[in-house]
Amino acid sequence: MSRPKVASLSAPSAVSAGKIVSALLAVETPGTGFTDITREAARFLHSTGAREGALMLFIRHTSASLTIQENADPSVLVDLTTALTRLAPENAGWVHDTEGPDDMPAHVKTMLTATSLQIPVLDGEMALGTWQGIYVIEHRARPHRREVVLQFTGSTI
Amino acid sequence: MSRPKVASLSAPSAVSAGKIVSALLAVETPGTGFTDITREAARFLHSTGAREGALMLFIRHTSASLTIQENADPSVLVDLTTALTRLAPENAGWVHDTEGPDDMPAHVKTMLTATSLQIPVLDGEMALGTWQGIYVIEHRARPHRREVVLQFTGSTI
Amino acid sequence: MSRPKVASLSAPSAVSAGKIVSALLAVETPGTGFTDITREAARFLHSTGAREGALMLFIRHTSASLTIQENADPSVLVDLTTALTRLAPENAGWVHDTEGPDDMPAHVKTMLTATSLQIPVLDGEMALGTWQGIYVIEHRARPHRREVVLQFTGSTI
C-alpha cells in the first residue's frame, strides 16, 4: 500500500441538486459479447438538458451486466469475453443447469461485473476518460432484449 | 463488440431531486452464504414516501458484500457460493492468515463483488427486474452482524 | 439463501437534497498495487461543508480501478494483488498484446473490480466501517497519473 505522494485536487464546482430524469433503454443483444451503449447514454443525457450531476445505469437482469471498458481496440473485448469464460466455465459441475449450460456461468459473470454504474456529468457531458466506453455484456449464448434504466440526477439548463 | 441495432428509449420522466433519507439496517448472517434483504429494502423505501429517485445500499465491511442476483431457484445461490470459493480458495498460500483460513478469501470475494449498489426507484418502487433480489453475501464461515446503510435520494409524496 | 431472522432498521433521518459539489483528484501511482485515497476523499468532503448525502468516486481509466478494502494489515493488500494476478495472469494467450504483457490483465482486473463507488455521508463524515479504506488499484506495472472524479450530493452547512 502507498499513500499518494502527489495527489492534487482541483477547485470544486457546486450547483443545486435540481432534477431527476429517468428513462428506460431497451437493448437488443446479438448473444454473448459486448454492446456499446455510450452513444445512447449521451443522447439521453443531452435530451434532459443535464449540466452537472451524475448518470446512473442499472440493468434489470441477472445474466447480463454492465461495465466501463476500453473502446479503442476491439480485441480487448474479445479477451475480456475469454477471461469471463475462464472464470466461469460451462461444464463445471453446476447444480443449477435446467436453463441450459450457459445460464449458471451467466449468473457468475454478472456477479463479478456490475449491475449498476454511476458516471459523473460535468458541463453537460459524461466525464468519461478518453478510452472509456459503456457496455452491456450479454452472458447468454442467444440474443436477448435487455432493459437498462438511465437516470440523471443534477442541475439542468 | 456491437453497436445496438435496435435500441429504443422510453419517454423520460422528470421530478425535483427533493429529499435524502438515510437509515441503518442490521443483518444477522448465519455464516457463509446469501441473505435476501429485498423485503427490508422495500420496507425502508415505503417508509420514506419515496416516489422517484434512487436507493443506495452500502455495506460497512470488507469480508461481506452486496449483490443483485436471481431470486427464483435457490440452487443458483449454492452455485454462486461455489464459484466464489473456486476463485478465492482457502489454503492458497495467503500471507494474511492470522484471522483464520476463511478471512483472506473473504476479502478477495468482497473485492470481486459489490460494496455499494444503486437501484432506481420509479413510481414508489425499486425498478428491479422480475428475477432480481438484493443479497448480503457473508464470506466468513461463522455468523456475523452486518451493517448496511440504506439511502434514498429523490422525490417523496 | 436465508431471510434475515433478525434485521433491525434504525429511525431514518431526512434532509433536502441540496447541493452537488464536484472536483478532480489526480493520483500518482507507484506502479502495480494499492494507493489509499481515504484521506484525500475526506479532505474534499470537509471542504464542501457536506452534512448528509453521498460521495461518488469515479476513475477515468480502464487499467486502474477503485475498491474499498481492509486498512489495518498491509499484507491483505499484498494478497489482494496476488489474487488479481492469479485471476488474470500475463502469458495467458491474450489477443490484445500490443501495449505490453501487463495491459490486457489490467483491463480484466479493472472489469472485476470497481470503476465507480458510492459512500454514504452522515453527520459530515463518510459512513465507512472501522476497517474500510478507499483505494486506487494500479494494474499496470509502471507508475501512472490517474484521475478520480469526486462528487458529493446532499445537504451542506
Side-chain angles (χ1 to χ4, degrees):
Chain A
M1 184 197 67
S2 62
R3 293 270 168 196
K5 281 174 279 291
V6 185
S8 68
L9 191 68
S10 73
S13 70
V15 298
S16 288
K19 289 283 179 193
I20 295 178
V21 190
S22 311
L24 188 68
L25 178 69
V27 180
E28 305 281 345
T29 69
T32 306
F34 289 68
T35 297
D36 188 337
I37 58 166
T38 315
R39 205 174 297 182
E40 284 69 25
R43 194 173 299 151
F44 163 72
L45 200 65
H46 298 156
S47 78
T48 67
R51 292 310 301 159
E52 183 162 339
L55 176 67
M56 171 178 47
L57 297 95
F58 178 87
I59 190 161
R60 303 180 70 227
H61 305 277
T62 62
S63 57
S65 58
L66 300 170
T67 196
I68 292 178
Q69 269 293 333
E70 200 198 91
N71 57 12
D73 180 355
S75 68
V76 168
L77 304 174
V78 173
D79 283 338
L80 291 176
T81 304
T82 302
L84 287 169
T85 300
R86 288 174 180 165
L87 294 171
E90 298 188 8
N91 304 317
W94 306 115
V95 178
H96 174 80
D97 60 2
T98 51
E99 298 176 58
D102 60 326
D103 186 60
M104 193 57 226
H107 293 308
V108 177
K109 293 168 187 177
T110 297
M111 179 176 65
L112 297 176
T113 52
T115 294
S116 61
L117 291 175
Q118 283 68 35
I119 302 168
V121 174
L122 304 173
D123 290 332
E125 301 290 343
M126 290 183 282
L128 292 167
T130 310
W131 311 111
Q132 286 183 313
I134 310 168
Y135 296 91
V136 167
I137 323 179
E138 177 60 68
H139 301 302
R140 299 302 305 269
R142 300 174 66 167
H144 279 74
R145 183 174 188 276
R146 300 302 193 174
E147 294 186 344
V148 178
V149 179
L150 305 178
Q151 188 175 73
F152 171 72
T153 302
S155 66
T156 53
I157 49 174
Chain B
M1 184 196 68
S2 63
R3 294 268 169 201
K5 283 176 277 290
V6 184
S8 67
L9 191 68
S10 73
S13 71
V15 298
S16 288
K19 290 283 179 193
I20 296 177
V21 189
S22 312
L24 188 67
L25 178 68
V27 180
E28 307 280 344
T29 70
T32 306
F34 289 68
T35 297
D36 188 337
I37 59 167
T38 315
R39 205 173 297 183
E40 284 69 24
R43 195 172 299 152
F44 163 72
L45 200 65
H46 298 155
S47 78
T48 68
R51 292 310 301 161
E52 183 162 340
L55 176 66
M56 170 177 48
L57 297 96
F58 178 87
I59 190 162
R60 304 181 69 227
H61 305 277
T62 62
S63 57
S65 58
L66 299 171
T67 195
I68 291 178
Q69 269 294 333
E70 203 199 87
N71 56 14
D73 180 354
S75 69
V76 168
L77 303 175
V78 172
D79 283 338
L80 291 175
T81 305
T82 302
L84 287 170
T85 300
R86 288 175 180 166
L87 294 170
E90 299 188 7
N91 304 316
W94 306 115
V95 178
H96 174 81
D97 61 2
T98 49
E99 299 176 58
D102 62 326
D103 186 61
M104 193 57 226
H107 293 308
V108 177
K109 294 168 186 177
T110 297
M111 179 175 65
L112 298 177
T113 53
T115 294
S116 61
L117 292 176
Q118 281 69 33
I119 301 168
V121 174
L122 303 173
D123 289 331
E125 299 292 343
M126 290 184 282
L128 291 168
T130 309
W131 311 111
Q132 288 184 312
I134 312 167
Y135 296 90
V136 167
I137 322 178
E138 176 59 68
H139 301 301
R140 300 301 305 271
R142 299 174 67 167
H144 279 74
R145 185 174 187 274
R146 300 302 193 172
E147 295 185 344
V148 178
V149 179
L150 305 177
Q151 188 175 73
F152 170 72
T153 302
S155 66
T156 53
I157 47 174
Chain C
M1 183 196 69
S2 62
R3 294 267 167 199
K5 280 174 280 289
V6 184
S8 67
L9 190 68
S10 73
S13 70
V15 299
S16 289
K19 290 283 179 191
I20 296 178
V21 190
S22 311
L24 188 68
L25 178 69
V27 179
E28 307 280 345
T29 69
T32 305
F34 289 67
T35 298
D36 188 337
I37 59 167
T38 315
R39 205 175 297 183
E40 284 70 24
R43 195 173 297 152
F44 163 72
L45 200 66
H46 298 156
S47 78
T48 68
R51 291 310 302 160
E52 183 162 338
L55 176 67
M56 171 179 47
L57 297 96
F58 179 87
I59 190 161
R60 304 181 69 229
H61 305 277
T62 62
S63 56
S65 58
L66 300 170
T67 196
I68 292 178
Q69 270 294 333
E70 201 200 87
N71 58 11
D73 180 355
S75 69
V76 168
L77 304 174
V78 172
D79 283 338
L80 291 176
T81 304
T82 301
L84 288 170
T85 300
R86 288 174 180 167
L87 295 170
E90 298 188 8
N91 305 316
W94 306 116
V95 179
H96 175 80
D97 61 3
T98 50
E99 298 175 59
D102 61 326
D103 186 60
M104 193 57 226
H107 292 309
V108 176
K109 293 168 186 176
T110 297
M111 179 175 64
L112 298 176
T113 52
T115 294
S116 60
L117 291 175
Q118 282 68 33
I119 301 167
V121 174
L122 303 173
D123 289 332
E125 301 290 343
M126 292 184 281
L128 293 168
T130 311
W131 311 110
Q132 288 184 311
I134 311 167
Y135 295 90
V136 168
I137 322 180
E138 176 60 68
H139 301 302
R140 300 301 306 270
R142 299 174 66 168
H144 280 74
R145 185 174 186 275
R146 301 301 193 175
E147 293 185 346
V148 178
V149 179
L150 305 177
Q151 187 175 75
F152 170 73
T153 301
S155 67
T156 53
I157 48 174

